[in-house]
Amino acid sequence: QSALTQEASVSGTVGQKVTLSCTGNSNNIGSYGVGWYQQISHGAPKTVMFENSLPSGIPDRFSGSKSGTTASLTISGLQPEDEAVYYCSTWDYSLSVRVFGGGTKVTVL
Amino acid sequence: EVQLVESGGGLVQPGGSLRLSCAASGFTFSNNAINWVRQAPGKGLEWVSGISGSGGSTYYADSVKGRFTISRDNSKNTVYLEMNSLRAEDTAVYYCARDRGVILTLGNAFDIWGQGTVVSVS
C-alpha cells in the first residue's frame, strides 16, 4: 500500500478538465511540495509539475495546487497525448524516505 | 543538454550482485541530490535510495536497506548503486532521477529522469 493515495483511474473527453488528487499526511504533503510525474506506456517518467511550478516545455494546461495534506494536478483542456499514468511524490520527514502514490491512469475517451 | 544515463543492468541469479551507474552531463553535478527509483513489471514507481550533492547523506527504502549502497563520484559526474543479496523482487527497471535540491530533506521534486536500466533476478 502506497504512502500517498491517488485515484486508480480518471477519464475525460478531449478538451475537458480533469483533476487528479494525491492525499498524504502532515509528515509528507503537509510539510513539503509535491512533484507530479507522467509515464506514457511504461516509458521513462517525465516531470510535469514541481512545487506547483511548470517545468520548461510542459504545456500550461497543466497546473498544480495543494491544500493541507492533499495535492492536486489539473489538466485543463485534455489532449490525446495526455493519456498516461501520473504519479505524485514527496519527502516524508518522519520516515526519512521519499514516498510515491500508486499512480492514476488518465484515459482520453 | 541536461542528461542522466543509466547503465549496468542485466540478468543475475538470486543472491548475486550488480552495480548500476548513473552518468550525468549538462549541469553542475554536485549541486543536486540524485535518487534511484525502480519499477517492477506491472507495478508503480518505488523510490529506492538517494544521495546528497556532496555525498555526505544517504537514504534508503526499507526494502533495500542493508543490501544496497548508494555512492557518488563528483569528479566523474556519476552516481552508483551497489546491489547485493539480490532477490527476485528486486527485478525492475531502475531509473536515476535528479533532485531539484542539493539535499533530499528539502523535499524538492525530481526534475530530470534517465531512460532506465533493466535488472532481472532469476
Side-chain angles (χ1 to χ4, degrees):
Chain A
Q1 188 157 356
S2 303
L4 305 181
T5 301
Q6 298 184 249
E7 302 94 344
S9 62
V10 166
S11 62
T13 57
V14 173
Q16 193 172 8
K17 181 171 80 171
V18 296
T19 298
L20 287 59
S21 69
C22 174
T23 301
N25 59 40
S26 59
N27 298 328
N28 43 63
I29 293 179
S31 297
Y32 298 102
V34 173
W36 289 90
Y37 310 104
Q38 176 193 64
Q39 189 177 38
I40 297 174
S41 299
H42 287 283
K46 180 169 77 171
T47 301
V48 294
M49 186 67 55
F50 46 65
E51 291 91 48
N52 298 335
S53 296
L54 270 179
S56 173
I58 301 300
D60 60 6
R61 63 178 179 272
F62 288 88
S63 63
S65 64
K66 189 179 82 167
S67 178
T69 58
T70 298
S72 299
L73 178 72
T74 297
I75 309 174
S76 303
L78 194 63
Q79 298 298 308
E81 59 266 31
D82 299 333
E83 188 162 285
V85 180
Y86 292 82
Y87 296 91
C88 60
S89 177
T90 189
W91 183 256
D92 188 301
Y93 72 76
S94 70
L95 301 174
S96 290
V97 298
R98 179 165 289 275
V99 291
F100 276 91
T104 296
K105 180 171 175 54
V106 172
T107 301
V108 182
L109 301 171
Chain B
E1 180 190 7
V2 176
Q3 197 173 8
L4 299 173
V5 178
E6 303 93 336
S7 61
L11 175 63
V12 62
Q13 292 184 338
S17 299
L18 272 179
R19 188 177 81 156
L20 305 184
S21 298
C22 170
S25 59
F27 64 99
T28 304
F29 187 61
S30 59
N31 283 354
N32 296 86
I34 300 292
N35 297 264
W36 287 97
V37 177
R38 69 184 180 185
Q39 186 170 38
K43 303 295 186 182
L45 300 178
E46 178 191 15
W47 177 82
V48 173
S49 182
I51 187 167
S52 63
S54 69
S57 297
T58 58
Y59 299 87
Y60 299 92
D62 285 346
S63 57
V64 306
K65 199 172 294 184
R67 300 188 298 123
F68 290 12
T69 302
I70 191 170
S71 62
R72 67 190 293 160
D73 184 340
N74 285 350
S75 69
K76 295 182 178 179
N77 286 2
T78 302
V79 168
Y80 305 98
L81 186 68
E82 188 76 39
M83 305 187 295
N84 298 317
S85 303
L86 283 163
R87 307 166 179 166
E89 54 264 36
D90 295 318
T91 294
V93 179
Y94 284 73
Y95 299 99
C96 61
R98 188 179 81 166
D99 201 296
R100 294 184 70 234
V102 67
I103 57 176
L104 275 74
T105 52
L106 291 175
N108 294 116
F110 304 153
D111 57 357
I112 304 296
W113 295 74
Q115 288 302 302
T117 187
V118 177
V119 172
S120 295
V121 184
S122 177

